Amino acid sequence: MPELPEVECVRRGLQSILGTRPPSENSVGFSFAKHPRPVIERLEIRCRDLRRPIPKNMSKLTEQMEIEFIDRRGKYLLWHLSRGVLISHLGMSGSWRLAPPGDERIHDHVYIHLKGGRRLAFRDPRRFGVLLWAESGKEGEHELLCDLGPEPLDTTNFSGEALRKRIGKSVSPIKNLIMNQKVVVGVGNIYASEALFRAGIHPKTRGSRMTHPMCDRLANSIREVLTLAIDSGGSSIRDYRNADGGSGAFQTTFQVYGRDGLPCLNCSTPIRAIALQNRSTYWCPVCQRKG
DNA sequence: ATTTTCTCCTGCATGC
DNA sequence: TGCATGCAGGAGAAAA
């Protein structure tokens, strides 16, 4: 389900629901007084089966801890608690929501009971998500996080040059490369096609044939499409919902994704579909010539 | 070693 | 209506 824009929108939704402070690189001097720090009264595990099992001691670890703020790294949500970090990945079908009394659904894996009576639910029908624990300050060393590439919206660490270096001499199709979270985080199947279209690059172009200008264009397109998607609240294709229940609108703005056979919005040539890594890939044969 | 394919799981749309 | 099939926004193991 969720790529970077959807995860970021969920993060903002949770932040809004909880009233917690936004993440900031330097929290010194930040006004904590303005922001509540909700207390986890009890973390209730209903089903531990996910891509990795939820640790048995997760309830014990989070008991009575305050939620300070919620951050994001790639497609991971990082719940910074008073002592420790809750690492959450939504996989393909995961969601967080505020679950009022009586709102119990099939595939609800976890309930977070907050002091004051509110309850957050993590639900993941396909179980590709993750809910793990890291010690404070050690989350970056976690094996799921330590090899992640740069944040595409972080202009100091992500650029055409940074992209080019990560691609190296790989002969893999560029679409596969930008979906590799070690190359750049947050890009999934939808935004990969969309970014390549905007950059005018054929998805099967080998990494080794990506020129400097092409890398610059692609880095800019990735940043642009992800930013626009966040501003639209993400993309809701089948069931994506933000934590506040709202859906995104960026799916109405797709230029190639899911538009197999429809006219290119730029040149009217029918959009085509191919499979790369068994994932549907869409491109315009005229606007995206192969490198 | 790198690259491609398969697999994990449920739900839903489609077609017979 | 019922059933089989394929596909879905991720990511890592297995196979090539």
Side-chain angles (χ1 to χ4, degrees):
Chain A
M1 179 213 296
E3 304 181 32
L4 186 148
E6 291 73 37
V7 178
E8 175 59 20
C9 289
V10 168
R11 191 199 68 72
R12 293 180 186 185
L14 288 167
Q15 179 176 283
S16 166
I17 286 169
L18 297 170
T20 47
R21 73 169 176 87
S24 53
E25 296 201 5
N26 181 7
S27 60
V28 177
F30 197 93
S31 168
F32 285 89
K34 283 187 353 193
H35 295 281
R37 292 156 60 133
V39 173
I40 297 176
E41 206 153 71
R42 184 168 62 96
L43 187 145
E44 175 190 358
I45 300 172
R46 303 179 106 209
C47 173
R48 297 178 53 230
D49 295 340
L50 288 172
R51 196 172 94 216
R52 292 185 180 199
I54 300 171
K56 284 179 183 161
N57 59 350
M58 185 67 93
S59 302
K60 193 78 181 170
L61 287 166
T62 55
E63 206 173 21
Q64 298 304 319
M65 283 209 185
E66 295 178 331
I67 303 171
E68 295 186 349
F69 63 99
I70 301 178
D71 205 350
R72 179 188 57 73
R73 175 78 174 102
K75 300 175 190 171
Y76 290 89
L77 287 170
L78 304 177
W79 301 58
H80 286 255
L81 310 184
S82 37
R83 285 207 313 280
V85 178
L86 196 57
I87 301 173
S88 144
H89 193 290
L90 303 175
M92 204 82 107
S93 59
S95 65
W96 283 98
R97 74 176 191 280
L98 197 55
D103 181 16
E104 291 87 30
R105 305 183 198 174
I106 188 170
H107 305 306
D108 278 351
H109 282 71
V110 163
Y111 294 128
I112 296 181
H113 300 272
L114 298 173
K115 193 173 181 180
R118 293 201 297 175
R119 178 177 64 165
L120 292 166
F122 177 70
R123 178 172 184 268
D124 186 5
R126 291 177 73 179
R127 304 187 209 161
F128 293 161
V130 140
L131 210 58
L132 295 171
W133 179 259
E135 287 181 40
S136 288
K138 298 272 183 77
E139 65 274 10
E141 300 166 30
H142 193 283
E143 57 172 306
L144 293 180
L145 302 177
C146 64
D147 288 329
L148 292 179
E151 288 288 331
L153 304 184
D154 173 7
T155 49
T156 62
N157 288 308
F158 183 67
S159 62
E161 188 57 18
L163 184 59
R164 198 188 62 76
K165 280 183 180 157
R166 298 255 172 184
I167 288 170
K169 292 173 182 161
S170 171
V171 295
S172 292
I174 185 61
K175 192 230 181 189
N176 297 3
L177 291 169
I178 59 174
M179 286 178 66
N180 181 343
Q181 304 299 297
K182 293 180 182 178
V183 172
V184 57
V185 296
V187 178
N189 200 44
I190 291 179
Y191 298 108
S193 283
E194 292 296 315
L196 287 164
F197 173 79
R198 286 165 183 263
I201 297 169
H202 193 292
K204 284 178 82 171
T205 304
R206 293 174 184 272
S208 56
R209 308 202 41 167
M210 289 288 292
T211 63
H212 288 235
M214 288 164 80
C215 287
D216 287 341
R217 289 203 320 268
L218 185 52
N220 286 335
S221 296
I222 289 171
R223 185 164 50 242
E224 177 185 61
V225 75
L226 296 181
T227 302
L228 289 172
I230 291 172
D231 292 344
S232 299
S235 302
S236 295
I237 292 200
R238 351 167 44 90
D239 53 8
Y240 164 73
R241 286 294 178 281
N242 195 344
D244 58 17
S247 53
F250 194 71
Q251 67 279 4
T252 62
T253 314
F254 290 165
Q255 300 188 18
V256 288
Y257 186 84
R259 298 193 64 246
D260 188 15
L262 296 174
C264 171
L265 298 173
N266 187 47
C267 74
S268 301
T269 304
I271 298 300
R272 293 175 61 180
I274 47 168
L276 287 176
Q277 283 184 152
N278 292 328
R279 313 298 300 278
S280 299
T281 305
Y282 303 88
W283 92 107
C284 170
V286 171
C287 296
Q288 296 167 267
R289 59 202 182 291
K290 198 167 174 187

